[in-house]
Amino acid sequence: MKPARIEKNIQMPASWSAIPFGEHYRQALDIQLAPWWQKIFGFHLLKLGHLSTEIQTKQCMIPHQFSLGEDSNIFDVAAAPEALPFADKTIDACVMSHMLAYSNNPHWILREVDRVLIDDGWLIISGFNPFSLAGMAKLVPILRKQQPYCSRFFPSLRVFDWLGLLNYEVLYHQNCQVIPWMSPDKRINKCGGVGVISVIVARKRTYPLTPTPLKFKQPKVKITTALGATKEISKQTKLTK
């Protein structure tokens, strides 16, 4: 398995339109996440990176929704995602659309997001599925340096492991297939493990997800002692009669 941290910096595209079929990918994410927005409450919703800013979140009940990135002309807050300028446990929900795919240190970003999320806060992650047609195209040398194949395709199970270490509960996961040449009503389909876009909805938990059973020591009672006590009680009973 390749290490999560690498030295190379991968430039995230400024918009979904900069990725081939990117608008279709964004539409697929909007459809997958639409049922969840009305379940997410709080005060602050953070969108990390260029691609997260274009995700439709108007249905979300959180009033303060803002974006963060390093370009002050584009984002509401100009800062590096690896060093979020927020106090601990101040953000209710965070959208990381393909943020891990374009990060050279995904572990660090997840830790930073975990630091600022409140207890029971929501984390939404999307990425490209390596076990899809896009993952196969990534193996072609001529495509490997182009978008989106230059980004990192992490298997969902690996992301689950990272979230599990931080004590997150995965509430929803789906891979969806995008077929651009089909009609709009048939273009986006749930496709099991081979869909190109992976969507994860997780929640930060404050209690262990795999509790350790407690072992209680039972006091050892000697049989001879117990029999002696029984005989003594019988003698006292006969004397009182």
Side-chain angles (χ1 to χ4, degrees), residues 3-198:
R5 182 178 180 179
I6 60 175
E7 298 298 328
K8 179 182 177 182
N9 290 321
I10 308 173
Q11 185 65 35
M12 177 181 286
S15 173
W16 284 102
S17 59
I19 300 176
F21 312 122
E23 288 298 327
H24 300 312
Y25 296 150
R26 183 193 58 77
Q27 183 183 2
L29 288 174
D30 287 340
I31 293 174
Q32 292 295 312
L33 294 174
W36 286 94
W37 294 126
Q38 295 182 356
K39 302 176 183 179
I40 299 176
F41 297 90
F43 298 98
H44 308 289
L45 185 149
L46 170 63
K47 297 182 178 183
L48 281 182
H50 293 280
L51 302 181
S52 298
T53 61
E54 298 180 4
I55 299 300
Q56 182 60 254
T57 59
K58 291 182 179 179
Q59 296 179 355
C60 183
M61 302 300 291
I62 296 179
H64 183 215
Q65 303 181 14
F66 63 102
S67 60
L68 182 145
E70 298 186 17
D71 192 342
S72 59
N73 296 321
I74 298 176
F75 299 98
D76 300 316
V77 178
E82 297 83 3
L84 299 177
F86 310 118
D88 296 356
K89 299 184 179 182
T90 53
I91 303 298
D92 299 277
C94 179
V95 179
M96 297 175 58
S97 185
H98 289 58
M99 194 71 204
L100 300 179
Y102 288 94
S103 171
N104 64 348
N105 195 351
H107 289 172
W108 187 268
I109 289 184
L110 281 174
R111 289 191 186 99
E112 268 295 278
V113 171
D114 176 68
R115 179 183 65 81
V116 302
L117 274 180
I118 66 169
D119 295 338
D120 292 325
W122 296 80
L123 179 57
I124 296 169
I125 299 174
S126 68
F128 289 111
N129 179 15
F131 309 111
S132 64
L133 292 177
M136 295 176 61
K138 186 177 174 67
L139 301 176
V140 180
I142 196 173
L143 297 176
R144 198 174 298 163
K145 296 182 180 180
Q146 302 177 16
Q147 294 287 357
Y149 313 109
C150 62
S151 66
R152 311 178 71 187
F153 290 18
F154 292 112
S156 299
L157 290 178
R158 193 174 185 187
V159 180
F160 292 166
D161 288 340
W162 296 344
L163 294 175
L165 291 174
L166 294 172
N167 210 44
Y168 280 76
E169 180 183 3
V170 175
L171 302 179
Y172 176 79
H173 170 246
Q174 183 64 56
N175 293 324
C176 52
Q177 184 72 347
V178 179
I179 308 174
W181 54 85
M182 295 187 69
S183 59
D185 59 330
K186 298 180 180 179
R187 182 175 296 157
I188 300 168
N189 300 299
K190 295 181 180 179
C191 200
V194 297
V196 64
I197 294 289
S198 173

